[in-house]
Amino acid sequence: MPPESPAPVVSAGGKGWRAASRNGLFFWPALSLVLSLSVTGLLWQDARESADKDLQLDFDAQATAMVARLHAELATRELLLRGFAGLFKASDHVSREDFRHYYEILPADLREGSATSVAFHQQVAAADLPAHEESMRRAGFPDYRVFPPGARATYAPLVYIEPLHETNRRVIGFDPLTVEVERLAIARARASGDLALSARLVLAQDNGTRSPGFVMYVPIYKSVSAPRNEAEREAAFVGWLDAPFRMSTFMAVLPHDALRNIDLQIFDGRSTRPEALLYDANTGVHQDAELPGLRVERELGFGGHSWTLVFRSQPGFGGAAPYQKAQFVAAVGVLLSVLVCLLSASLINGYNRRMRAEYRRHKAAEQAVQDAERQRAEAALRESEARYQFLFRHNPMPMWVFDRETLAFLEVNDRAVEHYGYSREEFARMHIADIRPAEEVPALLELVGSASVREIRREWRHRRRDGSLITVLTNVEPMVYAGRPAMIVLIQDITARKAAEAEVNTLAFFDPLTGLPNRRLLIDRLQHALATVARVGGEGALLLIDLDNFKTLNDTLGHDIGDLLLQQVARRLQHCVVDGGTVARLGGDEFVVVLESLGRDGLSAAAEARKAGEAVLAALIQPYQLGAYSHLSTPSIGIALFDRQQETDSLLRQADLAMYQAKAAGRNSIRFFDPAMQAAVTTRAQLEADLRDALAKDEFRIFLQAQVAADGRIIGAEALLRWFHPLRGCVSPAEFIAVAEDTGMILAIGDWVLEAACACLAAWAKQPATAELTLSVNVSARQFRQTDFVPSVLAVLARFAVAPTRLKLELTENMLVDDVEDVIGKMSALKAEGVAFALDDFGTGYSSLSLLKRLPLYQLKIDQGFVRDILCDANDAAIAKMVIALARTMGLSVLAEGVELDAQRDFLAHHGCDAYQGYLFGRPQPVEDFTARFAAG
């Protein structure tokens, strides 16, 4: 029997390898799966956080942009109010028409902005309220009243508002000081002198609705320079400008899609309580729970007030796009994890090789596409450059390119070289400013330096190589030339067109012989003068000038000689008339002169018109050299005054009638259309001439009227000016003081009166009986405003060795209206030397108690108009008692003028009056007679 074959033997090592292989078959894929999923999870988390961060940054950026847009809108409205405030500062009086005109010339985007209107509130004291309401009713608002009604120390009614539609018209007269939040904002603006924003309120235009809004206030001061302190602000204060806003309208400045998927709430102040809510843009969609809830707060401060803006994201903000990357990462990660788990290493390696090969093929194809596109772009650029060079060089109009920073020429075309006369080499060494007149260079530099400049079409003047100036119309556009910022300019020479337009204008509006405005332009300027007078007040004059015997000159020497005379007359008239007057040739030998703003009343305007006519008359009667002939010519001048009620045709007829009156009177003379005015002007002219001679001829005297204390003692006198004319006799100061003020002679007269008074005081000082008397001297407003008034008064006192305490200067209330600080400074300087001040005619002017308490006064003088009827008129008696009580309270002396009866003196003495002056104690006397009273005991 053969031996049996041995049985197969399986070693323990072989079983272990296969077990390890089986274990590895599950372990490594499982490990790969865990690791892949872990990495996928980390990448997904990172992508998710990155999306959240991007979404938050986008949300913050949108919130910041909206806050900036709202702040910019507020700044724009502030600029609008500042412009109106500048209008008030630049004018002594801004009328309703001025206010409306300024509003209407504003750009449309400023007039139709977020503010409902622009309004002016005038400060009105309680005492002035009835007069204010009556004035507004006369101005075209018959039902005007200040509301809400009620007694207040100060009112701030709305008097001007634009646009003036029905809704805004209802709030004319509204007083914002009755609304707490507006009063606080107004007080803040007035205290700071700057813009202030109100808290949450309901606009008066909304007629009681609950639509929230706010108001922007700007205080107005009448001085041009800004007030430096509280006192100056109070003195210069006029009123307020305001701009009301509805929040719904104000928020419309945001782009229409700015609040898409964003909820915005605006709270008044820094609190976010519901009662502080100013605006809510709630879209009605609840926040999506799957998206992060974004929220940010911003503070907007403006005009001393602040808002809190709360932004919240709404469903759909950012969309699903920010999270697609995370979703993609998760999906790809899971897929790759499965693939790693299922595929063997060899398959993975093969897959990687295939992927690398595919990537190389893809990059090669992509590179080929990029190369092809680059080649096409380069070809298109070369073609475009060739077209540009062809159009630039062969353009029939001059063109050039210049460097925007250095202004050097970079390139010019052939037409520019030909038209301007410079060679290309010369252009290469020049700058754009070299061909401009010097006065246009600043405008050029400003234009080129503007960062926002785009295409500009503008007229300039250029200088060619031969020095001639041409007018050109340029089209300028920015460009990049050889990598540098530059500008390309297309030029059209419009010199001939401008010359033709000027010639047409000259032929249409100017006389070809004299170059003066013709009848058509005269009528236009005369209408403008009438409109100016109607707007600002005052009167003007029209002078019609006719050459005497001009026809005889034409008939004897010929029309060419007559034309020479007309040309020389035109030149002489132009030299005579300055300061805005118009000289025109009406036709033939008639010329017209139009003068504006000659005076506030007819008498002053007539006097100025006569001066102008006399100047014309003096100029035209001088000899003329007409070629080989010497000729004398005289004019006849007719003058017609005009105000706001005249028409051009009637005015020319009036001047024509007056001119024929001058011819009828013998020619070579001046006549006014109004015979009464002619007489008045003649009388005034003679009075001025006599007044100029009065000082030289020693025709002035001072008379003294006694001032008596309560015990009957004469304590001083008032110096009163008298004019003794050899023909007129004693001329009342009421007749000549106003003329002296208008002509400036009041300065010399005032100096004479002061010197005469000091001479009297010096004489009194030598006599014991009169050594303690004081002498009061009236000072005119024009004399007091002289810069050297204080040193000149002190110099006169020193020259006559008079104690300053014996001199008392009397001022009127109307002198205190202008430049209060200068008045106080001069009074304080003289008071420091001992000179006393009395306020004359107290109660008849415009001084305020706030001003009165600042003045270094010694005495108040009760005007004789109140004393005259003090016994029979309760109002006059009350005023006198009030003045005495006021003076007592302020520590001032009181003197009553015009006391003629014992009963008047007794009444005043009973109520505490200190001193008296009037016929009861003596009429004004010459200095010698007054002094003799003391010599007689």
Side-chain angles (χ1 to χ4, degrees), residues 368-386:
V369 171
Q370 291 178 352
D371 292 341
E373 288 178 352
R374 183 174 64 255
Q375 292 172 0
R376 285 195 298 271
E378 291 174 352
L381 182 61
R382 286 193 297 271
E383 182 180 355
S384 174
E385 178 68 15

Side-chain angles (χ1 to χ4, degrees), residues 159-462:
V159 293
Y160 299 162
I161 188 169
E162 292 296 335
L164 190 58
H165 49 65
E166 187 58 30
T167 299
N168 285 341
R169 194 179 184 92
R170 290 201 304 265
V171 299
I172 293 181
F174 172 71
D175 184 359
L177 294 179
T178 60
V179 180
E180 179 66 15
V181 294
E182 293 192 74
R183 181 167 62 252
L184 292 176
I186 289 173
R188 193 167 68 251
R190 184 168 181 178
S192 65
D194 203 350
L195 177 140
L197 219 61
S198 76
R200 179 183 185 274
L201 51 76
V202 176
L203 301 185
Q205 289 95 326
D206 290 343
N207 197 22
T209 65
R210 302 307 299 171
S211 177
F214 62 96
V215 183
M216 183 182 294
Y217 289 98
V218 170
I220 305 175
Y221 302 96
K222 63 185 176 184
S223 59
V224 175
S225 60
R228 295 166 294 183
N229 51 52
E230 182 64 25
E232 290 186 357
R233 282 199 295 272
E234 184 67 24
F237 185 73
V238 175
W240 300 270
L241 286 168
D242 77 33
F245 299 80
R246 293 186 189 93
M247 284 305 298
S248 56
T249 305
F250 176 72
M251 294 302 295
V253 302
L254 295 178
H256 69 281
D257 60 346
L259 293 176
R260 182 186 299 169
N261 298 326
I262 294 178
D263 181 23
L264 169 60
Q265 290 181 311
I266 300 179
F267 295 86
D268 193 25
R270 294 183 172 86
S271 172
T272 58
R273 296 192 304 272
E275 57 270 20
L277 182 63
L278 188 61
Y279 175 79
D280 190 354
N282 186 6
T283 60
V285 180
H286 294 289
Q287 182 175 305
D288 191 344
E290 295 181 1
L291 290 177
L294 302 179
R295 184 181 186 276
V296 65
E297 289 188 11
R298 292 285 189 271
E299 182 175 342
L300 173 57
F302 198 88
H305 196 70
S306 64
W307 296 343
T308 300
L309 287 78
V310 180
F311 298 86
R312 296 184 178 87
S313 64
Q314 288 293 318
F317 178 81
Y323 298 94
Q324 288 178 353
K325 180 179 178 182
Q327 296 169 358
F328 176 79
V329 168
V332 172
V334 171
L335 177 61
L336 291 177
S337 298
V338 173
L339 291 176
V340 168
C341 180
L342 297 177
L343 297 179
S344 64
S346 59
L347 292 178
I348 292 174
N349 291 334
Y351 175 79
N352 288 337
R353 285 195 299 271
R354 289 195 301 274
M355 288 299 294
R356 285 195 294 270
E358 183 65 22
Y359 175 77
R360 286 194 293 270
R361 286 195 300 272
H362 174 73
K363 292 298 292 183
E366 183 177 290
Q367 186 63 41
V369 171
Q370 291 178 352
D371 292 341
E373 288 178 352
R374 183 174 64 255
Q375 292 172 0
R376 285 195 298 271
E378 291 174 352
L381 182 61
R382 286 193 297 271
E383 182 180 355
S384 174
E385 178 68 15
R387 284 198 303 269
Y388 160 79
Q389 288 294 336
F390 178 84
L391 293 174
F392 182 87
R393 293 189 176 280
H394 297 86
N395 197 301
M397 299 173 67
M399 292 183 70
W400 56 52
V401 179
F402 67 91
D403 191 299
R404 193 167 176 178
E405 295 179 357
T406 65
L407 303 184
F409 285 99
L410 301 176
E411 188 174 8
V412 296
N413 69 353
D414 297 336
R415 181 57 180 157
V417 171
E418 175 186 348
H419 194 72
Y420 284 83
Y422 297 101
S423 66
R424 293 186 182 276
E425 292 74 20
E426 289 174 318
F427 268 116
R429 295 190 299 269
M430 294 168 60
H431 294 75
I432 189 69
D434 294 339
I435 64 167
R436 306 292 177 103
E439 61 270 20
E440 291 186 4
V441 171
L444 170 67
L445 297 177
E446 180 181 359
L447 175 67
V448 173
S450 175
S452 60
V453 64
R454 294 292 181 264
E455 181 178 358
I456 298 174
R457 184 177 175 87
R458 181 168 175 175
E459 288 185 12
W460 299 91
R461 288 186 301 160
H462 286 178

Side-chain angles (χ1 to χ4, degrees), residues 379-557:
L381 182 61
R382 286 193 297 271
E383 182 180 355
S384 174
E385 178 68 15
R387 284 198 303 269
Y388 160 79
Q389 288 294 336
F390 178 84
L391 293 174
F392 182 87
R393 293 189 176 280
H394 297 86
N395 197 301
M397 299 173 67
M399 292 183 70
W400 56 52
V401 179
F402 67 91
D403 191 299
R404 193 167 176 178
E405 295 179 357
T406 65
L407 303 184
F409 285 99
L410 301 176
E411 188 174 8
V412 296
N413 69 353
D414 297 336
R415 181 57 180 157
V417 171
E418 175 186 348
H419 194 72
Y420 284 83
Y422 297 101
S423 66
R424 293 186 182 276
E425 292 74 20
E426 289 174 318
F427 268 116
R429 295 190 299 269
M430 294 168 60
H431 294 75
I432 189 69
D434 294 339
I435 64 167
R436 306 292 177 103
E439 61 270 20
E440 291 186 4
V441 171
L444 170 67
L445 297 177
E446 180 181 359
L447 175 67
V448 173
S450 175
S452 60
V453 64
R454 294 292 181 264
E455 181 178 358
I456 298 174
R457 184 177 175 87
R458 181 168 175 175
E459 288 185 12
W460 299 91
R461 288 186 301 160
H462 286 178
R463 179 176 287 107
R464 296 196 292 194
R465 195 177 191 279
D466 59 5
S468 61
L469 285 174
I470 60 175
T471 304
V472 299
L473 180 63
T474 62
N475 283 72
V476 184
E477 290 187 29
M479 66 174 298
V480 177
Y481 185 92
R484 293 185 56 80
M487 304 194 84
I488 185 170
V489 185
L490 177 66
I491 303 159
Q492 179 184 359
D493 191 338
I494 59 172
T495 305
R497 189 185 79 190
K498 300 295 285 189
E501 291 174 356
E503 183 177 359
V504 169
N505 183 72
T506 300
L507 293 175
F509 296 105
F510 292 89
D511 174 50
L513 176 63
T514 63
L516 296 177
N518 59 16
R519 185 184 185 91
R520 176 186 294 179
L521 185 54
L522 168 66
I523 296 300
D524 179 75
R525 293 188 178 177
L526 186 55
Q527 290 173 344
H528 179 271
L530 289 169
T532 301
V533 168
R535 185 176 67 254
V536 304
E539 294 194 11
L542 184 144
L543 284 67
L544 182 59
I545 303 159
D546 184 272
L547 302 182
D548 298 329
N549 303 314
F550 179 76
K551 184 176 183 301
T552 302
L553 175 68
N554 266 345
D555 294 342
T556 55
L557 298 181

Side-chain angles (χ1 to χ4, degrees), residues 601-625:
D601 58 82
L603 187 60
S604 299
E608 293 299 322
R610 169 167 283 280
K611 290 180 181 178
E614 290 173 349
V616 169
L617 195 67
L620 297 188
I621 63 176
Q622 301 301 318
Y624 297 86
Q625 189 63 40

